[in-house]
Amino acid sequence: MDMSRKSVFLRFKDGLAILIIFLFTNQGVAEELESLQLEKVIVTSSKTQREIFELPQAITLVEHKELTKENNISIIDALDDKIGIWVEKRTTEASDPIMRGFSGYYIHALIDGNSLSTLAGEGGPAGSALYGKIDPESVERIEVLRGPSSVLYGTNAVGGVINFITKEPLAYPESGFVSRWEEKIVYGTAAKMGLTRTQLASAWPNFSFLLGTTFTNIEDVKGGKDSKKLIPSSAQRLSYDFKGDYRLSENQSLRLAVQDVRIGNHRRYYFPHEISDYLRQGFSFIYKNNEPGFLADLWEGKFYFQNKESTIENDNNILKNIRHIDTETYALDLQFVKLLGNR
């Protein structure tokens, strides 16, 4: 068995990131994986895989390389300098996008095509942290569809749609197995932010999985030069993510994806008497069949479940109250694709 080790040190504007990668393979598998090339496709615009130049809509795509370079505490900060998008930065961990004058409920957020948005007052200037319930380290790329998309995604997609695509497991090797372990450590000086990410990916000829966990600790943030600290503006976030693929045959596969994100002691300086705790749990099970038939050349069945909980404690020395919001989302999606003519 061959073993290769790579260590990468990344400098960025607020601190130092250290990425350590171990790759374990049997002979020849490493070369096989390096030769694989992924095409740039967009799935948000039409809910099917299309090349970006085939789409008539206004699309913004943020690739994994750019996400890794920025090391954003909130995943939505990666869109801050993109055309047609303005990001309102309210605390270290909480940010909200504004597209075409709309924010909050009027921007539809997705994770791997599954709805993140609910009617529980998330997002927007007065809402709770919607995008903080996504672990930035689990995201591979971001697809943004700017402009109304009510036909595909419902009436709240007035300003646009943001789809967070999470990381994929390794490709199936022809034989043997391949395994990849990564450890990432980040320290940011502005908020004394500490982040650790541990990720394991392994693959066999018919089974592949990715398992990761991230812990982030954020203290009160301090502005540049002689600016004072924003007190309070701290938070802690612990997340787990799993994605596994099982190949039933050459044209059939099963996928299980699980996400668990927990945010504790979330503080906002403009509501100094509030302490918030958030939880998001997502579960999806997908069956894919790529074997051409009379009715469809490709069909997919997907079940999705999401549980979100928000607990907000307010203690201003006069009145103390605790608010708890619990929302659940169930979705069943069947998709049939029939190709007409030659492409």
Side-chain angles (χ1 to χ4, degrees):
M1 175 180 293
D2 296 335
M3 182 181 72
S4 60
R5 180 175 184 269
K6 299 181 181 179
S7 299
V8 182
F9 293 82
L10 305 174
R11 289 281 181 182
F12 66 104
K13 58 184 177 182
D14 288 328
L16 175 68
I18 302 175
L19 177 62
I20 303 175
I21 302 174
F22 289 90
L23 180 64
F24 302 91
T25 71
N26 62 348
Q27 185 67 29
V29 173
E31 289 79 0
E32 176 187 338
L33 292 179
E34 290 178 358
S35 66
L36 294 176
Q37 298 293 330
L38 298 179
E39 299 178 358
K40 282 190 177 182
V41 295
I42 301 293
V43 297
T44 308
S45 174
S46 61
K47 291 192 176 182
T48 59
Q49 293 189 353
R50 301 280 300 278
E51 294 184 7
I52 191 170
F53 293 107
E54 296 179 355
L55 304 173
Q57 295 95 334
I59 297 289
T60 298
L61 179 63
V62 183
E63 299 278 12
H64 177 65
K65 183 178 180 181
E66 186 174 352
L67 294 175
T68 303
K69 180 180 178 181
E70 292 294 331
N71 286 289
N72 295 300
I73 299 176
S74 174
I75 186 61
I76 210 67
D77 292 341
L79 302 176
D80 192 23
D81 59 347
K82 299 300 181 290
I83 296 175
I85 306 171
W86 181 67
V87 174
E88 180 192 24
K89 187 71 176 175
R90 293 183 284 114
T91 69
T92 310
E93 192 271 340
S95 301
D96 279 292
I98 298 176
M99 290 192 291
R100 306 196 176 187
F102 294 97
S103 64
Y105 171 74
Y106 296 103
I107 296 178
H108 196 56
L110 308 170
I111 298 182
D112 293 328
N114 303 309
S115 178
L116 172 69
S117 303
T118 60
L119 301 177
E122 297 175 302
S128 61
L130 172 62
Y131 300 97
K133 297 181 177 70
I134 304 172
D135 177 15
E137 297 300 319
S138 68
V139 176
E140 178 71 23
R141 71 181 190 275
I142 307 174
E143 298 176 2
V144 182
L145 176 58
R146 305 192 304 275
S149 305
S150 300
V151 173
L152 286 177
Y153 294 103
T155 56
N156 63 321
V158 179
V161 178
I162 304 177
N163 192 9
F164 301 93
I165 311 296
T166 57
K167 294 179 179 178
E168 290 289 316
L170 298 174
Y172 300 115
E174 292 184 358
S175 61
F177 84 101
V178 59
S179 187
R180 180 185 180 97
W181 173 73
E182 298 183 27
E183 187 76 26
K184 181 178 180 180
I185 303 173
V186 176
Y187 176 76
T189 57
K192 293 185 178 179
M193 182 269 290
L195 179 149
T196 59
R197 167 74 176 181
T198 301
Q199 181 175 293
L200 172 66
S202 299
W204 290 262
N206 291 315
F207 178 68
S208 180
F209 77 89
L210 183 148
L211 176 65
T213 180
T214 307
F215 176 73
T216 307
N217 182 68
I218 309 164
E219 298 185 14
D220 296 330
V221 65
K222 183 181 183 301
K225 296 184 179 180
D226 298 326
S227 301
K228 296 182 179 181
K229 285 187 176 182
L230 296 178
I231 301 176
S233 58
S234 58
Q236 292 181 334
R237 180 172 56 214
L238 176 64
S239 66
Y240 304 92
D241 56 276
F242 171 85
K243 186 179 287 186
D245 292 334
Y246 180 71
R247 182 162 58 180
L248 299 172
S249 66
E250 189 68 27
N251 297 310
Q252 301 179 68
S253 64
L254 298 175
R255 163 166 289 187
L256 173 66
V258 180
Q259 300 167 346
D260 186 291
V261 181
R262 301 168 186 264
I263 304 174
N265 298 317
H266 183 267
R267 307 296 300 272
R268 295 181 283 182
Y269 67 92
Y270 47 91
F271 292 139
H273 302 292
E274 285 190 356
I275 302 177
S276 304
D277 294 324
Y278 302 113
L279 167 68
R280 185 185 72 82
Q281 296 169 316
F283 169 92
S284 64
F285 183 77
I286 303 173
Y287 169 77
K288 288 185 177 181
N289 190 327
N290 297 328
E291 186 173 355
F294 176 74
L295 296 177
D297 294 313
L298 179 152
W299 74 276
E300 175 182 301
K302 176 169 62 176
F303 171 77
Y304 173 65
F305 168 77
Q306 177 181 257
N307 174 58
K308 290 194 296 184
E309 299 180 14
S310 299
T311 302
I312 303 174
E313 180 178 348
N314 190 330
D315 187 2
N316 57 9
N317 298 323
I318 299 176
L319 179 65
K320 181 176 181 178
N321 64 77
I322 298 177
R323 291 173 290 160
H324 183 79
I325 303 173
D326 189 353
T327 61
E328 293 184 350
T329 302
Y330 298 87
L332 181 62
D333 184 22
L334 294 175
Q335 185 179 78
F336 298 85
V337 178
K338 183 68 176 179
L339 303 178
L340 302 178
N342 297 322
R343 295 190 60 189

